[in-house]
C-alpha cells in the first residue's frame, strides 16, 4: 500500500513536471512565433532614404554638349557600347547619341526602359526621337543620379527586390549552391545537419554547413553567429515556424533582400540588389552571368571572398560556382571556360555611402527637417528628389579649388592660412538651387561656408539701394544726377561717419547709373540717406533677405553679415525680373510604393516693378562691360552676356561677386576663416571663381526683353544726356526709362560732341580704378 502511494505520488509529480515543461516549451515557441510573425507581418526592414539629383531633361532646343551628356551617363554608370542590347548602355557616333535608359519610378510616372536617339549640334539638341518608330519625342527624362542616403542607425543598406524581378539564373544558381532541396524541405534538413557535423568532426574544424536557406535567413535576422546548441535549437524551431507561416517564394524573397554581402566602413551591404550596385555600379538585371555567380560565391563569406581586397580568392570561388552550374548542365564546357577566364569587373572605386556632395546635402537636410522626423528619414525608405545638377556641382567644385590655387600661386601666397571660398548657383527661372560648394576641399563634411558663414557682403548690396530709387520713377531714373561729394553722417554720441571711395577721390555730380557701374561709395550713401534706411531695408526684404537688418547707415555699403545662400536669393529675384521665387532644393518626396508624400511646387510672386528691375539689370550688365567687373570680358566665352556686381569689404577681408546669365544666377565668396585680410577685391578674387564656373557650364547669354512699361532712348551714361536720334558714337547706348516717369531733357547730337574731351578723361580714370577694384 505504501509502495502504491509512493508510485502514485511519483507519477503525479512526473505529470506535473512534464506538463510544466510542455507549458514552458509551448510558451517559448509561442514567443518565438510572435517574434517571427511580428517581423514578417510588419515592416520587415528599416530602409534608408535615397536622395536623388535632378533628372536630366532632354528636348529639342536644350543647351547641352555631347561631353556634358556623356558625363551624366558616366555618373549613372552607363556602359558605352557599339550595339545596345539592354538598359544602362549608350553609344556615341559623332553628334548622334543613342541611349537605352533604365526603368525608373518618378514621382509622377513609372517610366519603362526606353531606347532614344538624339543629335546635338553647337551645344544644342537638334533632334530627339524613338529610333525604332522614328517618331519624334517632345521630352525625355533620364533617371536621376542617386548621390546620398540617410541610413538607419544600425547602418544597414539595402535595395528591396521582388522574387519575380530577380534574374532566374541567380535564383537557380543560388539554390544549387546553398540549398538544392529548398522547395521540398520544411525549413531544416536533419540528414544534411548530421552529414555536416560528421565532416566537421573529422576535419577538426568547420568545413561544411548543413543550414538551409531558411535557417540562414533566421540566423541573419533573429540570431547571433555563436556556435552553441541552444542557438542551433532556436534556429531549427524558428525555421520550422517560418516555413509554417509563409510560402517558399516569400521566404526566398526575404533571403534575397537580407543576405549579408559586404562592408563599406560602418555601412553593411545587404541583399543582392544592393550588392549589385556596390560591386558593379549597375542594376541586378544588367549583370552578366559571371557577375551574378560572383555575388553568389560571396554569400559563403563576404569578407573572405571580397573581390576588391582578395580578387584571386574571389575569382577562384566564382569559378567553383561556375563549375557546379556546369555540372548540372546549365552551362556548356565552352561557355564555362569562357566565363571562368573573364575578369571580375568590379568597380575600382567603392561607391561609398558617404555623399560626394556634403554641402548640398546639408541644404537638403535643413529643408527636410521642416517636414520630416529624423527617424522617418532613417527608416521609411523614402525617395527624395532634389534640384542638384551633378555636372554643374562638379564643375563648380573644380572651379573654386582651381581658382583659389591659382590666386595663391599668382600672388606668391605661402601662408599656412589658406584662402577659402564658397559658391552657390541656382536656375534663374525656377529658383532651383543646383550647386552648393562650401569648402575648397568640397568632399570634406564640416563647416559649410555657403550656408552657415555670415560675413559682411560689401558692395554687392548696392543694387538694392539703387533699385529702391528706380522703383520711384517719378523721382529717379538711370541718368538722375546724384552727388559723389564729401559727406558727413552723424552717428550720435558726438561721432560722425565719413564714407570714402575706393580711389580716395570724389567724382562730383554723376548720373545714378555711373555711380553704380563704378561702385562709388559716397554717392551710394548719399542716395541711400535721401531714400531713407527703412526704405532700403524694405527693398532687401522684398528681394528675399530674411535676416534682421538694423538701420545703420553703414548697411548701405554692405556692413550686413549674410551667408552666400541668402545673397543668392536676392540676386535670383533680380535675375528673374522682380519675381520672387523662394529658393528650393527639393522637388518631391515619395514612399516605398512610390506614393507622393509631398511636392515642393514653384511659387512665384512679383514683388518689384518689372520696369525698375529692367533698368537695374541694364546697369548691372554695364558693370560687366565698362565697370568694376569689366575683366569678365576676357574671362568668359565670346557672346556670353552677363550682369553682376563686385563686392569688397573693409581691409580687403572679403571678396564677393554676384551675377547672372540668361539661365543661371551665382554668388561667389573668397576670404579667410580667421577673417584676416586677403589683399583681394571682388574683381581680383571672387570674380575669377564666378567667371571660371560660368565659362565651363552649359549656360545661356543674358537676353533682356523690355517689359511693356519701358521705353528706350540713346544716351551717354558718362554725361547723363539722352538724344533725340542715334548719333553713331562709341559712347552712346540704349538705356531704358519707365513710361510716365521722370525723363531727362532730350538733346541733339551736337551737345554730345562738346563733351567728348571731358568724357574721355573721366572714362580713362574710371577704367584705371575699376581694374584695381
Amino acid at each position: 500500500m505504501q509502495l502504491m502511494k509512493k508510485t502514485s505520488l511519483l507519477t503525479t509529480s512526473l505529470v506535473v513536471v512534464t506538463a510544466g515543461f510542455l507549458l514552458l516549451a509551448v510558451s517559448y515557441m509561442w514567443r518565438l512565433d510572435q517574434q517571427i510573425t511580428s517581423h514578417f507581418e510588419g515592416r520587415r526592414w528599416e530602409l534608408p532614404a535615397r536622395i536623388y539629383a535632378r533628372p536630366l531633361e532632354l528636348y529639342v532646343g536644350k543647351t547641352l554638349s555631347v561631353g556634358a551628356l556623356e558625363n551624366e551617363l558616366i555618373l549613372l554608370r552607363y556602359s558605352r557600347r557599339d550595339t545596345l542590347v539592354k538598359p544602362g548602355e549608350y553609344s556615341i557616333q559623332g553628334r548622334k547619341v543613342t541611349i537605352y535608359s533604365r526603368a525608373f519610378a518618378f514621382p509622377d510616372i513609372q517610366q519603362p526602359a526606353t531606347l532614344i536617339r538624339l543629335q546635338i549640334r553647337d551645344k544644342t539638341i537638334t533632334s530627339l526621337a524613338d529610333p525604332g518608330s522614328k517618331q519624334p519625342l517632345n521630352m525625355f527624362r533620364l533617371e536621376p543620379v542617386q548621390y546620398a542616403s540617410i541610413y538607419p542607425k544600425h547602418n544597414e543598406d539595402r535595395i528591396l527586390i521582388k522574387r519575380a524581378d530577380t534574374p532566374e539564373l541567380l535564383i537557380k544558381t543560388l539554390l544549387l549552391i546553398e540549398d538544392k532541396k529548398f522547395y521540398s524541405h520544411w525549413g531544416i534538413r536533419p540528414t544534411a545537419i548530421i552529414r555536416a557535423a560528421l565532416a566537421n568532426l573529422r576535419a577538426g574544424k568547420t568545413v561544411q554547413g548543413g543550414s538551409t536557406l531558411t535557417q540562414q535567413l533566421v540566423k541573419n535576422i533573429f540570431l547571433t553567429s555563436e556556435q552553441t546548441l541552444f542557438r542551433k535549437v532556436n534556429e531549427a524551431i524558428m525555421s520550422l515556424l517560418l516555413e509554417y507561416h509563409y510560402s517558399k517564394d516569400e521566404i526566398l524573397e526575404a533571403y534575397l533582400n537580407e543576405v549579408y554581402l559586404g562592408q563599406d566602413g560602418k555601412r553593411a551591404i545587404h541583399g543582392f540588389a544592393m550588392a549589385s550596385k556596390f560591386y558593379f555600379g549597375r542594376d541586378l538585371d544588367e549583370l552578366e552571368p559571371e557577375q551574378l555567380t560572383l555575388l553568389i560565391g560571396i554569400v559563403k563569406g563576404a569578407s573572405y571572398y571580397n573581390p576588391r581586397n582578395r580578387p584571386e580568392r574571389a575569382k577562384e570561388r566564382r569559378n567553383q560556382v561556375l563549375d557546379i552550374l556546369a555540372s548540372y548542365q546549365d552551362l556548356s564546357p565552352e561557355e564555362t571556360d569562357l566565363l571562368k577566364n573573364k575578369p571580375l569587373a568590379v568597380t575600382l572605386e567603392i561607391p561609398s555611402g558617404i555623399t560626394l556632395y556634403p554641402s548640398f546635402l546639408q541644404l537638403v537636410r535643413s529643408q527636410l527637417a521642416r517636414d520630416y522626423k529624423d527617424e522617418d528619414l532613417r527608416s521609411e525608405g523614402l525617395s527624395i528628389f532634389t534640384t542638384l545638377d551633378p555636372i554643374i556641382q562638379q564643375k563648380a567644385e573644380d572651379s573654386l579649388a582651381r581658382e583659389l590655387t591659382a590666386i595663391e600661386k599668382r600672388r606668391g601666397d605661402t601662408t599656412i592660412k589658406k584662402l577659402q571660398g564658397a559658391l552657390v548657383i541656382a536656375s534663374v527661372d525656377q529658383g532651383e538651387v543646383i550647386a552648393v560648394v562650401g569648402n575648397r576641399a568640397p568632399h570634406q563634411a564640416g563647416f559649410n561656408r555657403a550656408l552657415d558663414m555670415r560675413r559682411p557682403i560689401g558692395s554687392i548690396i548696392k543694387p538694392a539701394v539703387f533699385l529702391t530709387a528706380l522703383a520711384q520713377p517719378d523721382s529717379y531714373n538711370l541718368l538722375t544726377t546724384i552727388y559723389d561729394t564729401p559727406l558727413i553722417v552723424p552717428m550720435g554720441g558726438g561721432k560722425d561717419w565719413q564714407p570714402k571711395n575706393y580711389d580716395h577721390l570724389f567724382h562730383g555730380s554723376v548720373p545714378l547709373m555711373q555711380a553704380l557701374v563704378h561702385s562709388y561709395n559716397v554717392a551710394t550713401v548719399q542716395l541711400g540717406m535721401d531714400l531713407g534706411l527703412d526704405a532700403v531695408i524694405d527693398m532687401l526684404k522684398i528681394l528675399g533677405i530674411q535676416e534682421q537688418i538694423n538701420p545703420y547707415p553703414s548697411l548701405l555699403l554692405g556692413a550686413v553679415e549674410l551667408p552666400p545662400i541668402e545673397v543668392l536669393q536676392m540676386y535670383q529675384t533680380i535675375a528673374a525680373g522682380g519675381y520672387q521665387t523662394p529658393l528650393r532644393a527639393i522637388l518631391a518626396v515619395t514612399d516605398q510604393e512610390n506614393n507622393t508624400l509631398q511636392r515642393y511646387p514653384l511659387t512665384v510672386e512679383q514683388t518689384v516693378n518689372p520696369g525698375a528691375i529692367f533698368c537695374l539689370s541694364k546697369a548691372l550688365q554695364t558693370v560687366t562691360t565698362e565697370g568694376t567687373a569689366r575683366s569678365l570680358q576676357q574671362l568668359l566665352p565670346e557672346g556670353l552676356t552677363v550682369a553682376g556686381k563686385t563686392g569688397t569689404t573693409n581691409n580687403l577681408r572679403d571678396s564677393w561677386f554676384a551675377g547672372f546669365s540668361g539661365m543661371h544666377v551665382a554668388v561667389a565668396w573668397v576670404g579667410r576663416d580667421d577673417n584676416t585680410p586677403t589683399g583681394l577685391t571682388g574683381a581680383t578674387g571672387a570674380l575669377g571663381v564666378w567667371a571660371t564656373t560660368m565659362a565651363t557650364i552649359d549656360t545661356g547669354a543674358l537676353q533682356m526683353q523690355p517689359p511693356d512699361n519701358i521705353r528706350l532712348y540713346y544716351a551717354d551714361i558718362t554725361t547723363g544726356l539722352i538724344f533725340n536720334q542715334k548719333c553713331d558714337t562709341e559712347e552712346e547706348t540704349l538705356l531704358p526709362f519707365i513710361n510716365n516717369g521722370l525723363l531727362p531733357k532730350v538733346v541733339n547730337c551736337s551737345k554730345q560732341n562738346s563733351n567728348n574731351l571731358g568724357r574721355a578723361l573721366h572714362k580713362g580714370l574710371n577704367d584705371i580704378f575699376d581694374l584695381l577694384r
Side-chain angles (χ1 to χ4, degrees), residues 64-74 92 120 391 395 698:
L64 183 69
S65 66
V66 173
L69 176 56
E70 185 168 27
N71 285 341
E72 183 91 13
L73 294 169
I74 291 171
I92 298 178
I120 298 176
I391 300 301
K395 290 184 176 180
D698 290 330

Side-chain angles (χ1 to χ4, degrees), residues 37-50:
T37 54
S38 64
H39 176 84
F40 276 82
E41 297 298 335
R43 187 181 66 201
R44 300 185 185 182
W45 293 282
E46 290 185 341
L47 298 176
R50 311 280 178 195

Side-chain angles (χ1 to χ4, degrees), residues 573-630:
T573 305
I574 296 171
Y579 290 88
Q580 187 186 128
T581 302
L583 295 176
R584 56 188 177 140
I586 306 173
L587 298 174
V589 178
T590 61
D591 64 13
Q592 292 182 46
E593 286 73 41
N594 202 42
N595 299 310
T596 299
L597 301 179
Q598 192 159 354
R599 291 186 183 276
Y600 294 79
L602 174 68
T603 59
V604 179
E605 179 185 3
Q606 184 163 10
T607 57
V608 188
N609 182 319
I613 283 284
F614 186 84
C615 292
L616 176 67
S617 297
K618 173 62 179 177
L620 293 177
Q621 182 184 342
T622 307
V623 169
T624 69
T625 58
E626 301 178 19
T628 57
R630 61 185 303 181

Side-chain angles (χ1 to χ4, degrees), residues 539-705:
M539 179 57 71
L540 287 166
K541 291 179 179 177
I542 288 171
L543 292 174
I545 299 300
Q546 300 294 319
E547 296 280 335
Q548 178 66 36
I549 299 175
N550 296 317
Y552 299 126
S554 57
L555 79 86
L556 300 169
L557 298 183
V560 176
E561 296 185 352
L562 296 176
I565 190 71
E566 198 149 352
V567 178
L568 182 69
Q569 177 70 80
M570 169 181 162
Y571 274 80
Q572 194 279 329
T573 305
I574 296 171
Y579 290 88
Q580 187 186 128
T581 302
L583 295 176
R584 56 188 177 140
I586 306 173
L587 298 174
V589 178
T590 61
D591 64 13
Q592 292 182 46
E593 286 73 41
N594 202 42
N595 299 310
T596 299
L597 301 179
Q598 192 159 354
R599 291 186 183 276
Y600 294 79
L602 174 68
T603 59
V604 179
E605 179 185 3
Q606 184 163 10
T607 57
V608 188
N609 182 319
I613 283 284
F614 186 84
C615 292
L616 176 67
S617 297
K618 173 62 179 177
L620 293 177
Q621 182 184 342
T622 307
V623 169
T624 69
T625 58
E626 301 178 19
T628 57
R630 61 185 303 181
S631 59
L632 283 173
Q633 300 305 302
Q634 286 74 48
L635 300 175
L636 295 177
E638 185 177 356
L640 182 55
T641 305
V642 297
K645 183 72 186 72
T646 54
T648 311
T649 61
N650 289 343
N651 299 317
L652 305 181
R653 298 177 189 275
D654 301 278
S655 170
W656 292 87
F657 188 81
F660 48 94
S661 66
M663 296 170 59
H664 299 108
V665 54
V667 175
W669 169 86
V670 173
R672 298 193 197 279
D673 285 342
D674 62 359
N675 202 28
T676 55
T678 64
L680 298 170
T681 65
T684 59
L687 181 145
V689 173
W690 191 94
T692 303
T693 304
M694 282 292 185
T696 56
I697 68 175
D698 290 330
T699 191
L702 178 62
Q703 297 176 333
M704 298 193 304
Q705 298 297 321

Side-chain angles (χ1 to χ4, degrees), residues 54 56 66-81 88-92 97 99 102 142-146 277 280-282 286 347 349 351 356-357 390-391 394:
R54 58 91 189 97
L56 181 60
V66 173
L69 176 56
E70 185 168 27
N71 285 341
E72 183 91 13
L73 294 169
I74 291 171
L75 283 175
L76 287 166
R77 298 193 179 277
Y78 274 57
S79 298
R80 186 167 179 172
R81 301 276 191 262
E89 298 178 341
Y90 72 100
S91 69
I92 298 178
V97 183
I99 303 170
R102 300 185 180 109
L142 282 178
E143 72 269 23
V145 174
Q146 183 194 329
K277 290 279 192 181
F280 303 108
R282 311 198 64 163
E286 297 175 25
T347 57
E349 293 184 4
L356 290 175
Y357 313 122
I391 300 301
Q394 287 185 350

Side-chain angles (χ1 to χ4, degrees), residues 455-497:
R455 298 289 278 266
I457 64 173
S459 293
I460 58 173
I461 202 173
K462 288 178 180 175
V465 180
F466 286 82
L467 181 59
T468 306
L470 294 169
Q472 303 174 30
D474 291 339
S475 302
Y476 296 95
N477 58 48
L478 288 175
L479 295 183
T480 298
T481 298
I482 60 176
Y483 298 95
D484 191 65
T485 53
L487 177 66
I488 298 176
V489 181
M491 299 297 291
K495 296 183 179 180
D496 295 329
W497 177 46

Side-chain angles (χ1 to χ4, degrees), residues 157-159 259 261-262 269-282 284 287 295 298 308:
D157 195 6
R158 57 171 53 81
I159 298 173
V259 61
L261 290 169
I269 307 302
H270 286 263
F272 284 99
M274 188 69 241
S276 177
K277 290 279 192 181
F278 182 68
Y279 290 112
F280 303 108
R282 311 198 64 163
L284 193 60
L287 298 190
L295 293 184
I298 293 173
R308 290 195 180 96

